[in-house]
Every structure is written in C-alpha cells, then in structure tokens.
Amino acid sequence: MLRRRFGGLLLAAFVLFSVPGCGFEPGLGEEQVLPLSADLIVIGDGVGGLTASLEAVRQGAAVLLFVEEPLAEGRFWEEGALHPKEAEAAGAGTLQEALAACGRGRGKGWHYELLSQNAAGALAWLSRETGLQMLPGEGFRYLPDNLFSVHPHRCLRETAVQEGVRLIAGVELKELLFGAGGEAAGVSFCDPAGQLNEAYAPAVILADGGFLGNPAKMAELAPEVTAASWREESRGGGLELARAAGLDLVDESLFSYALARETEAGWAPVEPPPETLLIIDGQIVPCSSYRESDLVELLRGTPPGSGYLLLPGDRVEEAPDWIRYSGIVSFLEDVQLDLPELRRRFRNPETVFWGCPVKPAAAYCLGGIAVEEAGRVLRDGKAVGGLYALGETAGGLNGEAVMPGAALTEALVWGRLLGAAAVDRLSDH
Ligand SMILES: Cc1cc2nc3c(=O)[nH]c(=O)nc-3n(C[C@H](O)[C@H](O)[C@H](O)COP(=O)(O)OP(=O)(O)OC[C@H]3O[C@@H](n4cnc5c(N)ncnc54)[C@H](O)[C@@H]3O)c2cc1C
C-alpha cells in the first residue's frame, strides 16, 4: 500500500472531529492517525458507498469514506427495491428480462444478471442491518413496511462508524491520483482553509451519485431536461473527477424520468391514485390504464406546463395533498382549459376534485462513468486497476430507463460486490 505521512495535524483534527461519532480513538496516538492512507477510499455515503465501506471494513480493510454533511434525510425507500422471488414464481417472467425490456435493449446483460442473482440476498442483508422490513408489492417490487420507524441510511452510517470506517467530511475533492502503472492511488482534496492534501489507497470507489442537483451541469449537458428538484444532494463531483482524469464517460444526457407534481417546495414525485385522470393536450387519459413510464412518455411529447392530474373526489378514500376544486368548472377555469368532454362527464356541480400540474422530471442519471463487468472504470476502453464506480456515478448499465426500485437495489448489490473486490485487491499489494 502506498503510505505517506503529513505534518497536517490541524487538518486531521478538523477532518476527524467534524463528523459525529468520529475522532481520535482511545489508545491511538496522533502518529497513527495522521497519515491519510487506507486500503480503500470510498467517495459518497449513499446506500452504495455505505454498503461497500461496511463490506470492506468487515473483511479487515482500513476504509476512508468521504461524505457530505448533513446526511440525506429523504424517504428514499418509498419506491422500494427489487426482489425476483414472488413475481417469477407467479409467472411474471424473469427480473432479468423485465430489466432488459425497461432499458429497451440498451442496458448491459451482465448488470441485469447480477441484479437478478443478488437482489434477494442484498435485501435480506439490508433488513438484518437496519431492521427495514420489505413486503411484496406489484411485480418485482418490494415495498418498505416500517419506514416510519427506520432510517436505513442513518443506520448504515452509524454502523459503519462503529465498525471503524473513518469519515472525512467538509472537504472539496480535487483530483483522482494514479500510480505509475495508471492504477488508482487515491484522491487529492482541499480542506476548508483551502490547503491541498492527499489521501492514498490502492482502491477507490466513486459512489457520489449523478448530477441532477447540479443546475450548471444540467444546463450544459442537457438543456432540454428538467431535473427533479428533490435531488439536490447529487451534484456529480465524481463525474467531474473522472472527466478531468480522462476516464471514459457514456450517455451523459440520458435520464430516467418520473412523474412529478408542483409543491410549495418545488417539484416532488407523485404516484397518482388509480382513479386519477391525466389531462394532457386536450386528451383525458385514465392513469389506471397505463404504466407510469407510458404516462411519462405521453408528457414528454407535449409542451411543458400542459399536463394536469385530476382526481374526481366521489370515490377517494384519502384526499391527496393537491389543490381542491368544487366542481369541474372551477378546475377548468383555474387551468384555463375548455374541455367539453370533462364538463359532460362530470355534470354534478357538487363533485369535488383534486388537481395539480404534472410534468416528467429527470429522476435518475442513466449516463456516467463507463465501467466493465467487475465495476472497474474504463479509460480508452481498458479497465483501470483499483478504480470503481457504482450507482448513478456509473453510466450505461440500465439502458434507456431504470425500473422503479432498481436504483437502490443496484446500489446495494454493487456496493457489496465492490467492497469485496477492493479487499481482494489488497492481496496484490
Ligand atoms: C426522494 C427520493 C426517493 C427515492 N426512492 C427510491 C426508492 O424507493 N427506490 C429506489 O430504487 N430508488 C429510489 N430513489 C433513487 C435512489 O435513491 C438513487 O438512485 C440512489 O440512491 C443512487 O445511489 P447512489 O449511491 O448512486 O447515489 P446517492 O444515493 O445519491 O448517494 C450519493 C452520496 O454521495 C454524497 N456525495 C455527493 N457528492 C459528494 C462529495 N463530493 N464528497 C462526498 N460525498 C458526496 C451525497 O451526499 C450522497 O449521500 C429515490 C431518490 C430520491 C431522491
């Protein structure tokens, strides 16, 4: 392993004390803590980065995990994860086929195979680690049952710290470092005082997410696309490091879309109840007759701002958090539409409606850093030793769309695989 000692006592104190749960461990002197070197460096503490860190630390590796504060507090698991068991047994085909169909033939067969083979085991692992209970949903989806009492991200991060993963927070990553043979050697970064420093390891995993929360990058690479405003934590720093290092990038302006509705806090994901109608371009489309991906495609083909969800209130058990209208006329006046068909359908002036503007929002970066079957990044088509990318930082794996639930499943499965791969690499050093 590459080792280098710095005299940066102040830096180490800042870095190690800046994260709750971290600090000089009892019995360790400054001399042992100060060199920022490890067996594995992980950039990003999403599910993928945390899983990889835990896998590696449990196999005896010294792990440095670069994180951003505060920890993302979103209810990330509401769309659930994928699990082949029940759906395949019920004759729904295989998860692998379903993933390939979703990606319209552009995804990687080996990626789908890996997810299919490991999704069930990875979910069981997550349940053991965090107490998150998943129950079978529609098709291949498993949905969380107890998100109200469990925060999986926080739980994984606390476990990682308890088990010896060292967190580095509050720094700005500058550059990927490479050894003489072109293999991964670490990263350089700036501390808040602006001082440039380096951290060394023979394996580096880039797991800092896509760039949907980076308006400048979105405007540069995908000016036509509206990003989901609920993705502010994903700014694409790993991708920038990769670009500067001349690594191969793929499909950077390709996204998977989700239905989003306007709220006071910006655009948020929406799952319309089955009775909902999509009002679009003068048409009235019953949501229950279409998959979400079809509704998204319909919306993508029309001018922005022209789609509305409309839920007639007569059979609604739980009112959504949308605008409430008394009678269809008040809805039509509000959205400035004249649709005689809607007026004919809902003649009763007493009928209550709920409505909201809806649009397709880019919710997942399908492009990113090109990787091969073992998760190693590519430079000029060749694998770079010890340098890996996973989750939304990696690109080209899912083809033209990612299935709901596939993103976190992917982060889990690849996280476990790459954490172990990084440890295997240690035997070569
Ligand atoms: C509200 C919401 C709900 C979702 N629900 C689901 C769901 O139920 N099922 C599903 O499959 N998918 C869901 N997704 C999508 C899924 O969460 C992401 O696709 C997935 O988390 C991507 O994983 P990742 O590890 O690539 O990146 P992320 O989960 O985005 O993790 C990246 C991490 O890196 C950190 N980071 C960023 N830059 C740096 C840096 N420079 N240095 C250090 N750290 C950095 C970020 O703070 C973040 O914690 C949801 C997304 C959102 C926003």
Side-chain angles (χ1 to χ4, degrees), residues 33-98:
V33 176
L34 278 177
L36 282 178
S37 63
D39 299 318
L40 168 64
I41 289 172
V42 179
I43 313 284
D45 60 336
V47 170
L50 286 166
T51 305
S53 301
L54 268 172
E55 189 72 38
V57 85
R58 284 177 182 169
Q59 293 189 34
V63 180
L64 284 179
L65 173 60
F66 283 75
V67 305
E68 284 208 321
E69 293 290 1
L71 178 69
E73 291 287 338
R75 311 299 284 171
F76 290 109
W77 292 91
E78 273 162 3
E79 274 180 26
L82 299 181
H83 191 308
K85 201 168 125 201
E86 312 249 341
E88 286 186 2
T94 65
L95 175 56
Q96 196 170 336
E97 287 161 0

Side-chain angles (χ1 to χ4, degrees), residues 43-49 66-68 70 72 74-81 153 171 173 207-210 230-231 233-235 237 269 363-364 390-393 403-409 411:
I43 313 284
D45 60 336
V47 170
F66 283 75
V67 305
E68 284 208 321
R75 311 299 284 171
F76 290 109
W77 292 91
E78 273 162 3
E79 274 180 26
H153 286 68
V171 302
L173 291 164
D208 66 312
W230 63 92
R231 298 302 303 274
E233 84 289 354
S234 83
R235 286 188 294 281
Y364 188 92
L390 63 75
E392 277 187 67
T393 319
M403 266 170 77
L408 288 171
T409 310

Side-chain angles (χ1 to χ4, degrees), residues 132-152:
L132 184 67
Q133 298 298 326
M134 300 291 244
L135 299 176
E138 222 173 88
F140 296 98
R141 246 157 107 183
Y142 265 45
L143 298 171
D145 189 39
N146 57 344
L147 259 190
F148 55 90
S149 61
V150 169
H151 192 306

